[in-house]
Amino acid sequence: MTEVKVTVTRTEQHSEPIRVAVSTVILTLRRDDDGEPPRIALPLVRRTRAPHQDSWSLPGGWLRDDENLEDAAARTLHETTGLSPSYLEQLYAFGAVDRSPSRVVSIVYWALLRSDEVDAQSAAHMASGLAPENVQWFEAATLPTLAFDHNQIVDYAQWRLRNKVGYSRVAHGFLPPTFTLADLREAYEAILDRRLDPANFRRQVEASGTLLPTDQFRTGSHRPARLYRYDDAVELADRGPLATEEKRTR
Amino acid sequence: MTEVKVTVTRTEQHSEPIRVAVSTVILTLRRDDDGEPPRIALPLVRRTRAPHQDSWSLPGGWLRDDENLEDAAARTLHETTGLSPSYLEQLYAFGAVDRSPSRVVSIVYWALLRSDEVDAQSAAHMASGLAPENVQWFEAATLPTLAFDHNQIVDYAQWRLRNKVGYSRVAHGFLPPTFTLADLREAYEAILDRRLDPANFRRQVEASGTLLPTDQFRTGSHRPARLYRYDDAVELADRGPLATEEKRTR
DNA sequence: TCAAAAGTGTTGCATCTACACCCATGT
DNA sequence: ACATGGGTGTAGATGCAACACTTTTGA
């Protein structure tokens, strides 16, 4: 702890400090083991203090003055839930004056988590001794009323995901390194909330040139399905000129 | 303006306050009166202090603790350039640690300005007695090196505009209330930086159902062209679930 | 009457959609 | 053998790009 003196110019604009928070909507595919198609789920954190005490809210925390926004999103997400996303992108900055009693600007990120890592990461987090009862998974389609404006933020994150899945390979943020076309199609179906024709889906992704077939097959109760993996030469998602900027400032 | 000295307690998390700034990329269509097609231009502000003193930069300023982000964007834009946008949308939050000597998180907006209002608003701003020599218009395609990471921000704004023009009616943020199809096509051509077939363009916008024909025509040196206006029943741009949120918090 | 932009028609190509059909495996 | 999902083929619909063509004005 050191004390420093700084000179600030006080104008009528700065009566109290504006604090910067970072939150993350992290989505995954959850399978119910009952033959139902997988559905989108996300972890929420129970608030332990006012405002909105005991309400469920997005994982997040305060931005440190020595870390970048994306680093803060990953850090606060990991600290509160133990999760490490496979994809992370900024969603929106929320800064309405009335969204919290004190003035807070929240930089919200959205993230994807591979469905095969949910259990492992959750277990590791529980074993680390942190309070696991304050983190709970919910289905995105049937959320309770959340703290602040977090319901709308989750809706917006899903809207962005639906949009982006049409022109990028984000859906693979849900999947392990190798997967069948049926796995991929189920991810698309959960995101878009409609059934897709398996035959046409196959041709579309093959034509996109982002998939590489492996010589392995998943054997199950029927004809084995070929496993594919993603072509690393293709970008995961197109973020325009910003993609290079993000890398630079990391 | 008064100067005060304040004492801050340094902890590992909060050694100095994180300040929140707001900037705006405001684009318009500029016609050169030489028969050339119009090009995208934007106003920049010369910095009068360090860092990057004398460099050109995006108009902006500090967020007040009693105003919403979008209000701050409109206010700082108007204070620095005298301009009032016809369209305003959040672009991205930039918060890399190293983008400025002190820690600043910049919420950047992008905006459109009707080409017929550029001169009027600029003239009013000059008449108001503010320093006009520190605001200058540049063509977006041939910018000098700007302060901070502002070149990349302008690139990103143009990328967003190019994207959005494909699935929304943002292009009309450039145009007056009534316009010809050639006006609209020129706006699209400037945004996308390629020529469009007039016949196909006409059919596409007519099929989109966003245009209402008026019974007026613009008479010029050739066959008069019908004037159209936008159907107010159609949203200006689709922002997903956020559109309602924005209105609520305004 | 001619140049040029406004506006219409038509054709070909690529893509999407629906659905019939064959293939390969576990039971 | 047969049910089931994996995988291929194909015909119709739709949308878009290219471009020929007609219309209407000012000069």
Side-chain angles (χ1 to χ4, degrees):
Chain A
M1 291 257 196
T2 62
E3 292 242 316
V4 295
K5 287 193 188 291
V6 296
T7 301
V8 292
T9 303
R10 176 184 288 273
T11 70
E12 57 285 358
Q13 287 94 323
H14 296 86
S15 57
E16 72 179 67
I18 299 171
R19 288 180 298 168
V20 180
V22 175
S23 305
T24 302
V25 182
I26 179 161
L27 305 171
T28 195
L29 272 192
R30 197 168 62 171
R31 193 175 292 278
D32 283 344
D33 293 329
D34 58 355
E36 289 288 300
R39 283 194 275 263
I40 292 177
L42 72 164
L44 296 173
V45 179
R46 193 197 301 273
R47 286 186 58 81
T48 57
R49 67 185 70 179
H52 296 283
Q53 181 162 358
D54 298 327
S55 286
W56 295 101
S57 68
L58 294 173
W62 301 111
L63 174 67
R64 291 183 181 165
D65 71 353
D66 61 347
E67 70 183 346
N68 295 326
L69 295 174
E70 189 167 323
D71 297 335
R75 173 183 61 81
T76 59
L77 176 66
H78 192 265
E79 286 176 358
T80 50
T81 65
L83 301 173
S84 297
S86 55
Y87 179 76
L88 183 62
E89 177 187 326
Q90 193 182 107
L91 181 65
Y92 200 77
F94 295 87
V97 171
D98 59 357
R99 59 188 296 278
S100 175
S102 65
R103 186 64 197 279
V104 176
V105 171
S106 283
I107 318 291
V108 179
Y109 280 74
W110 67 284
L112 301 181
L113 181 64
R114 281 169 41 185
S115 52
D116 61 321
E117 292 203 338
V118 178
D119 293 341
Q121 294 194 14
S122 293
H125 189 237
M126 298 227 298
S128 73
L130 294 168
E133 68 277 10
N134 286 329
V135 177
Q136 189 173 312
W137 288 82
F138 292 83
E139 283 198 2
T142 58
L143 288 183
T145 299
L146 308 183
F148 306 106
D149 46 7
H150 287 188
N151 286 93
Q152 284 171 314
I153 294 176
V154 173
D155 285 346
Y156 184 40
Q158 288 187 265
W159 180 83
R160 275 276 274 273
L161 175 58
R162 278 195 301 275
N163 252 298
K164 200 137 198 168
V165 83
Y167 62 89
S168 81
R169 33 174 286 201
V170 274
H172 311 86
F174 280 149
L175 300 178
T178 65
F179 48 86
T180 67
L181 289 177
D183 292 336
L184 182 59
R185 180 168 47 82
E186 280 188 326
Y188 273 77
E189 289 178 341
I191 292 168
L192 299 174
D193 194 26
R194 64 187 175 92
R195 310 307 302 269
L196 300 173
D197 184 297
N200 297 329
F201 181 80
R202 160 183 303 272
R203 274 184 291 258
Q204 281 175 6
V205 299
E206 279 176 349
S208 76
T210 58
L211 281 193
L212 293 176
T214 71
D215 44 8
Q216 293 182 312
F217 291 81
R218 173 174 308 160
T219 172
S221 56
H222 298 295
R223 171 173 173 176
R226 183 181 292 275
L227 290 172
Y228 290 80
R229 60 186 176 79
Y230 261 87
D231 186 348
D232 294 333
V234 184
E235 285 291 318
L236 175 65
D238 185 5
R239 274 188 268 178
L242 207 59
T244 52
E245 201 274 341
E246 283 289 298
K247 282 179 194 131
R248 191 185 61 81
T249 59
R250 190 82 67 89
Chain B
M1 290 256 196
T2 59
E3 291 241 320
V4 297
K5 288 194 188 285
V6 296
T7 300
V8 216
T9 303
R10 176 186 288 269
T11 69
E12 348 19 290
Q13 285 94 344
H14 297 89
S15 59
E16 68 179 71
I18 299 172
R19 288 180 297 168
V20 180
V22 175
S23 304
T24 302
V25 181
I26 179 162
L27 306 170
T28 195
L29 272 192
R30 198 168 61 171
R31 194 175 292 278
D32 282 344
D33 293 329
D34 58 355
E36 289 287 302
R39 282 193 277 264
I40 291 177
L42 72 164
L44 295 172
V45 179
R46 193 197 301 273
R47 287 186 58 81
T48 57
R49 66 185 71 178
H52 296 283
Q53 182 162 357
D54 298 329
S55 286
W56 294 101
S57 68
L58 295 173
W62 300 112
L63 173 67
R64 291 181 181 166
D65 69 356
D66 61 347
E67 71 183 346
N68 295 325
L69 295 175
E70 189 167 323
D71 297 335
R75 173 184 60 81
T76 59
L77 176 66
H78 191 264
E79 285 177 359
T80 50
T81 65
L83 301 173
S84 297
S86 56
Y87 179 78
L88 183 61
E89 177 187 327
Q90 194 181 107
L91 180 65
Y92 200 76
F94 295 87
V97 171
D98 59 356
R99 60 187 294 278
S100 176
S102 64
R103 185 64 197 278
V104 176
V105 171
S106 283
I107 317 291
V108 179
Y109 280 74
W110 68 283
L112 301 182
L113 181 64
R114 281 169 40 184
S115 52
D116 61 320
E117 292 203 338
V118 178
D119 293 341
Q121 293 194 15
S122 293
H125 189 235
M126 297 226 300
S128 74
L130 294 167
E133 69 276 11
N134 285 329
V135 177
Q136 189 173 311
W137 289 82
F138 292 83
E139 283 198 2
T142 57
L143 289 183
T145 299
L146 307 183
F148 305 107
D149 45 8
H150 288 188
N151 284 94
Q152 284 170 315
I153 294 177
V154 173
D155 286 345
Y156 184 39
Q158 288 186 266
W159 179 85
R160 275 276 275 272
L161 175 58
R162 278 195 301 274
N163 252 300
K164 199 138 200 169
V165 84
Y167 62 90
S168 80
R169 33 175 285 199
V170 275
H172 310 84
F174 280 150
L175 299 179
T178 65
F179 48 86
T180 67
L181 288 177
D183 292 336
L184 183 59
R185 180 168 46 82
E186 279 188 327
Y188 272 76
E189 289 177 341
I191 292 167
L192 299 174
D193 195 26
R194 62 187 176 93
R195 311 306 303 268
L196 300 174
D197 184 296
N200 296 329
F201 182 80
R202 160 183 301 272
R203 273 184 292 257
Q204 281 174 6
V205 299
E206 279 176 349
S208 77
T210 58
L211 281 193
L212 293 175
T214 71
D215 44 8
Q216 293 182 311
F217 290 80
R218 173 176 307 160
T219 173
S221 58
H222 298 295
R223 171 173 174 177
R226 183 181 291 275
L227 290 173
Y228 290 79
R229 61 185 175 82
Y230 262 88
D231 186 349
D232 293 333
V234 184
E235 286 290 318
L236 175 63
D238 185 5
R239 273 188 267 179
L242 207 61
T244 52
E245 202 274 341
E246 282 289 298
K247 283 180 194 130
R248 191 184 62 80
T249 60
R250 190 84 67 90

